[in-house]
């Protein structure tokens, strides 16, 4: 029996609909505070339809557009939840309306701060263009230099390692689908 479009969804239903592992949805809840499923007794999660659309938008930006988690967080900060909800629900009119509103805001910028003619008109966010450091070869500036035998990863390296783990899990999932 199919659920109503307005019905709440469990984490397993959302994971199956979006072709994502459940642990990825739980991880995204830690990275995107905008994802707030309702939790019932025993910690069972129920996602509202707008939560599912937001997750669809996040998934599209991460997997299809090549954004990093930080890039999507920046998109959310600068454009609001409704932008990614509109992307997730496929509402092109809402995406264009938000883009027009954003363009109207940039008109008030000084000429030096205006986007140059011919630049890509994506709203904001960063694709994976930032150079990465290799694990153990350096810490962030506030952590100090790496000491031999220190045995601790910097916060940046832990985040990179976790991101690499999720990338590998996604590769494994795709390979399992092909087999």
């Amino acid at each position: 029996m199919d659920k109503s479009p307005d019905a709440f969804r469990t984490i397993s239903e959302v994971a199956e609909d979006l072709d994502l592992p459940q642990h990825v949805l739980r991880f995204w809840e830690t990275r995107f505070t905008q994802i707030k499923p309702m939790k019932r007794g025993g910690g069972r999660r129920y996602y509202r339809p707008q939560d599912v659309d937001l997750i669809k938008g996040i998934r599209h930006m991460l997997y299809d557009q090549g954004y990093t988690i930080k890039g999507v967080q920046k998109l959310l900060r600068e454009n609001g939840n409704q932008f990614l909800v509109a992307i997730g629900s496929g509402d092109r009119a809402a995406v264009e309306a938000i883009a027009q509103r954003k363009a109207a805001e940039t008109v008030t910028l000084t000429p030096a701060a205006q986007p140059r003619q011919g630049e890509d008109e994506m709203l904001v966010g960063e694709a994976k263009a930032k150079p990465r450091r290799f694990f153990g070869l350096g810490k962030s500036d506030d952590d100090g230099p790496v000491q031999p035998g220190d045995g601790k990863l910097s916060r940046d390296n832990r985040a990179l390692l976790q991101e690499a783990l999720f990338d590998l899990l996604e590769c494994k999932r795709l390979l399992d689908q092909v087999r």
Side-chain angles (χ1 to χ4, degrees):
M1 179 180 210
D2 289 332
K3 285 188 174 181
S4 159
D6 297 332
F8 286 31
R9 308 270 187 245
T10 63
I11 191 168
S12 59
E13 291 170 330
V14 174
E16 185 178 324
D17 287 346
L18 299 179
D19 197 25
L20 289 169
Q22 293 179 19
H23 68 270
V24 170
L25 291 173
R26 290 186 202 99
F27 173 72
W28 285 358
E29 286 177 32
T30 66
R31 294 296 182 251
F32 302 104
T33 57
Q34 298 84 356
I35 301 174
K36 297 176 189 161
M38 185 178 73
K39 291 187 183 175
R40 300 289 292 192
R44 190 171 173 103
R45 292 166 168 82
Y46 290 96
Y47 293 88
R48 299 168 192 86
Q50 62 268 27
D51 292 330
V52 175
D53 287 337
L54 177 62
I55 294 168
K56 283 180 186 177
I58 290 171
R59 183 188 188 288
H60 174 75
M61 298 310 286
L62 289 172
Y63 290 2
D64 300 334
Q65 298 299 315
Y67 279 70
T68 61
I69 287 178
K70 286 183 180 182
V72 175
Q73 289 169 337
K74 185 176 180 181
L75 274 175
L76 283 165
R77 237 185 350 267
E78 294 182 2
N79 299 303
N81 289 4
Q82 291 307 312
F83 177 71
L84 284 180
V85 169
I87 289 174
S89 64
D91 187 357
R92 295 183 63 75
V95 172
E96 291 172 10
I98 293 169
Q100 288 174 353
R101 187 185 73 221
K102 199 72 174 164
E105 290 173 4
T106 59
V107 170
T108 60
L109 294 174
T110 63
Q114 292 275 346
R116 288 182 295 244
Q117 196 67 14
E119 280 187 2
D120 190 14
E121 292 184 9
M122 297 244 348
L123 286 177
V124 286
E126 302 158 7
K128 297 180 181 182
K130 187 172 135 184
R132 295 183 181 198
R133 287 186 275 178
F134 293 102
F135 298 110
L137 296 180
K139 292 187 174 186
S140 64
D141 296 335
D142 59 339
D143 288 344
V146 176
Q147 300 298 325
D150 188 7
K152 294 183 181 177
L153 289 173
S154 71
R155 202 172 343 150
D156 291 340
N157 284 342
R158 280 193 305 271
L160 286 172
L161 185 59
Q162 192 166 23
E163 188 176 327
L165 173 64
F166 283 108
D167 288 345
L168 288 170
L169 288 171
E170 179 61 15
C171 289
K172 180 185 181 300
R173 184 187 66 79
L174 292 171
L175 285 171
D176 288 342
Q177 281 182 342
V178 173
R179 292 183 190 154

